[in-house]
Amino acid sequence: MENPSRLILLFFVLIPCFFGLNFSAPAEFIHSSCKVTQYPALCEKYLSVYPPAVHRSPSQLAKAALNVTANRALAVSNFIKRMPASGKDPTERKSHGGGAVRDCLETLNDSVDRLRRSVTEVERMGRYGSRSFKWHLSNAQTWVSAALTDQNTCLDSLLQDKSAAGVRVPIRRQIVAVSQLTSNALALVNRLDSRN
Ligand SMILES: *[C@@H]1O[C@H](CO)[C@@H](O)[C@H](O)[C@H]1NC(C)=O
Ligand SMILES: *[C@@H]1O[C@H](CO)[C@@H](O)[C@H](O)[C@H]1NC(C)=O
Ligand SMILES: *[C@@H]1O[C@H](CO)[C@@H](O)[C@H](O)[C@H]1NC(C)=O
C-alpha cells in the first residue's frame, strides 16, 4: 500500500488505461508498420516524429511517409543547387550546371510533384473497398512508382556523365537516401490494399 512504485504504476498505467489512452501505442504502431518496408530503420527514424498526427491509421501513416519523402526530395534539390562547383575553373563550373546535374534537378522537381500528388490521392481515398478507394490507391501507386523511376534516371545520368565526376558522390548519396524513403513510402501505400 505504502509502496511508492504502486502509485507510480497507478499513475502511468492505470489512469491512462482508464481514460482509454495508450501512450506506447503510436510508437508500437509505427514500429510494426515499418517492418513491411525495405528500410525499416530509416522508416522509423523519419516517421517517429509523427506519432500524435498518425493516430494508428495506416492511411495517415502512408500520407506522412509520402510527405516526408517529398520534403526530403525538395531539400536535396536545394542542396544540389547550392553545391559549389567541383572546381574554380569556369569550364568546370559550367559543366556542373549541365548534363547529369541538370537531369537530377529536373527529375527531383518531378519527384516532388509526383509525391505531392500521391499525398492528395491518399487523402481522397475514402472508405476502404469502395470504387473511389481503389481508383485513388492505384493513382497513388502510379505516382510513387514514377517518382522512383525519376530518381533512377538521375542515378543513371550521374554514372554516364564524365563531367559530373566531381559532384557524383555527394549527389548520389542524397538521391539514394530519397529513393529508399520513396521505396518505403510505396510499401506503406501498397499495404493499404492488403487490409482484410
Ligand atoms: C498499448 O498498445 C500496444 C500496441 O498496440 C500494446 O502492445 C500494449 O499492450 C498496449 N498497452 C496498454 C497498457 O494497453
Ligand atoms: C507536409 O509537410 C509540410 C512541411 O513540413 C507541412 O507543412 C504540410 O502540412 C505537410 N502536409 C501533410 C498533408 O502532411
Ligand atoms: C519545378 O519546376 C517548375 C517549372 O520550372 C516550377 O514552377 C516548380 O516550382 C518547380 N517545383 C519545385 C518543387 O521546385
Side-chain angles (χ1 to χ4, degrees), residues 110-172:
D110 290 346
S111 281
V112 172
D113 187 53
R114 286 167 177 165
L115 290 162
R116 284 181 176 160
R117 281 169 196 255
S118 67
V119 169
T120 310
E121 296 294 340
V122 171
E123 277 171 349
R124 290 180 182 166
M125 271 179 188
R127 192 171 52 78
Y128 175 70
S130 63
R131 276 185 67 166
S132 135
F133 181 92
K134 286 178 190 152
W135 165 250
H136 291 297
L137 176 66
S138 145
N139 289 345
Q141 288 166 325
T142 305
W143 290 124
V144 186
S145 305
L148 267 180
T149 307
D150 282 329
Q151 293 149 18
N152 285 329
T153 303
C154 157
L155 292 176
D156 287 346
S157 189
L158 274 177
L159 277 180
Q160 280 156 25
D161 180 2
K162 288 199 173 64
S163 76
V167 291
R168 183 177 295 143
V169 172
I171 294 181
R172 190 184 155 74

Side-chain angles (χ1 to χ4, degrees), residues 155 171-181:
L155 292 176
I171 294 181
R172 190 184 155 74
R173 188 185 305 130
Q174 299 288 333
I175 300 287
V176 166
V178 171
S179 292
Q180 291 177 343
L181 284 174

Side-chain angles (χ1 to χ4, degrees), residues 4-42:
S5 72
R6 293 238 175 122
L7 282 176
I8 290 169
L9 182 80
L10 184 73
F11 191 77
F12 285 103
V13 177
L14 298 180
I15 290 177
C17 281
F18 181 77
F19 289 104
L21 302 174
N22 183 342
F23 292 123
S24 74
E28 188 56 39
F29 171 66
I30 286 176
H31 178 73
S32 63
S33 302
C34 284
K35 276 188 190 155
V36 306
T37 68
Q38 214 176 336
Y39 310 96
L42 189 72

Side-chain angles (χ1 to χ4, degrees), residues 51-127:
V54 296
H55 292 309
R56 301 201 209 180
S57 149
S59 65
Q60 290 291 319
L61 191 69
K63 207 174 87 173
L66 292 166
N67 200 37
V68 154
T69 309
N71 293 339
R72 188 70 214 138
L74 186 61
V76 170
S77 164
N78 291 330
F79 162 82
I80 296 174
K81 284 179 193 157
R82 282 195 314 264
M83 267 177 102
S86 47
K88 296 265 187 306
D89 179 348
T91 56
E92 272 184 62
R93 228 168 232 291
K94 203 171 166 194
S95 70
H96 172 63
V101 175
R102 195 187 46 226
D103 287 349
C104 286
L105 285 173
E106 241 167 56
T107 55
L108 275 171
N109 180 307
D110 290 346
S111 281
V112 172
D113 187 53
R114 286 167 177 165
L115 290 162
R116 284 181 176 160
R117 281 169 196 255
S118 67
V119 169
T120 310
E121 296 294 340
V122 171
E123 277 171 349
R124 290 180 182 166
M125 271 179 188
R127 192 171 52 78

